[in-house]
Amino acid sequence: MKILIMDNDESLRYMLTEFCKHAGWESETAVNGREGVDMFLKGTYDVILVDYHMPEMDGLQTVREIRKHNTVVPILVLTVDERQEVADRFLEEGATDFALKPVKAPDLISRIKLHAQIANMKNKHEEDDDIFTAKGISKGTLSSISNYLQENREAYPVDVISKDIGLAYPTVYRYLMHLLEEGKVKQVVSHQKIGRPKKLYKWYAH
């Protein structure tokens, strides 16, 4: 895991890098928000630590600027200011969490771990959405067909599924091919007395 630390206090920067080292994480530091944002745009970081009071660009401006480019990366604000209105302003700009100074290693490390895990889950969800969009698959339609097959455990032809759930035949066929590819649906060949064998589809119970 890689942490970006933004703080104009040299001793605090050193202390935070030691915390990261102790946790087995890599870290890089910036002396103010402007430098930190530049580093963020050029690099890849899992969590960002931002001091509230910094020259050139304070913590609030820094959080706002980062959120223009990335809505998922966790941003933890370090501050001595306990006022609720300050916390509210940071949350409005997109901060993820706060750590009050003087910062304690166990508290900060546990917060970083927690928010990194949450961010990973969000990223995974967004990747899944991107895959669905790229394949032209709607989650709602996929869910309707999947639910129908799970509730009706028999094997059905495309035309029956299409009629029962009120979707066009080509749509149902395309989604069944997607589910077949995913290994969630099984194709069954039914040999008719007259005519060609018919392809039926059923939910694949693992």
Side-chain angles (χ1 to χ4, degrees):
M1 190 148 66
K2 194 172 179 184
I3 316 295
L4 177 57
I5 298 161
M6 305 182 199
D7 201 303
N8 61 307
D9 184 329
E10 189 178 350
S11 61
L12 192 62
R13 286 200 306 274
Y14 174 76
M15 184 180 76
L16 293 170
T17 58
E18 287 299 302
F19 285 179
C20 291
K21 202 181 289 180
H22 174 72
W25 304 327
E26 189 183 342
S27 64
E28 291 183 353
T29 62
V31 298
N32 58 52
R34 196 171 301 285
E35 184 186 349
V37 170
D38 286 343
M39 287 174 69
F40 174 73
L41 294 176
K42 290 171 188 169
T44 304
Y45 301 94
D46 298 289
V47 176
I48 301 173
L49 303 180
V50 178
D51 182 39
Y52 178 15
H53 299 289
M54 291 186 292
E56 290 194 47
M57 187 188 279
D58 69 13
L60 204 61
Q61 293 170 298
T62 303
V63 172
R64 187 184 302 135
E65 195 57 35
I66 290 168
R67 283 295 178 237
K68 286 179 187 175
H69 305 279
N70 187 304
T71 57
V72 176
V73 65
I75 305 175
L76 276 65
V77 178
L78 311 177
T79 179
V80 290
D81 201 325
E82 296 184 51
R83 288 176 298 160
Q84 185 61 46
E85 56 265 35
V86 171
D88 289 343
R89 284 178 68 201
F90 269 105
L91 290 170
E92 282 166 16
E93 295 298 345
T96 312
D97 200 357
F98 297 87
L100 287 172
K101 292 181 179 180
V103 181
K104 292 179 180 144
D107 175 56
L108 188 66
I109 288 169
S110 65
R111 283 170 193 260
I112 289 172
K113 281 181 180 173
L114 170 68
H115 292 299
Q117 284 173 352
I118 293 169
N120 284 337
M121 287 190 286
K122 283 183 183 173
N123 280 324
K124 177 71 172 64
H125 183 68
E126 287 189 357
E127 282 169 16
D128 288 347
D129 283 349
D130 288 344
I131 291 164
F132 277 119
T133 305
K135 288 188 175 181
I137 298 292
S138 151
K139 280 190 174 181
T141 304
L142 191 66
S143 183
S144 296
I145 295 169
S146 299
N147 289 343
Y148 174 86
L149 291 172
Q150 285 176 75
E151 286 164 12
N152 304 282
R153 286 292 184 162
E154 298 300 316
Y156 297 95
V158 178
D159 54 345
V160 171
I161 300 169
S162 169
K163 184 174 175 235
D164 285 354
I165 58 180
L167 288 169
Y169 185 102
T171 303
V172 172
Y173 180 79
R174 187 159 59 84
Y175 279 79
L176 285 170
M177 290 307 101
H178 173 75
L179 288 165
L180 202 59
E181 190 184 312
E182 296 282 305
K184 292 178 179 173
V185 159
K186 187 177 180 181
Q187 190 181 76
V188 180
V189 178
S190 170
H191 295 278
Q192 312 290 309
K193 286 181 181 177
I194 302 170
R196 289 183 302 167
K198 198 162 192 177
K199 289 176 182 173
L200 310 178
Y201 300 89
K202 65 180 291 187
W203 191 255
Y204 186 56
H206 294 279

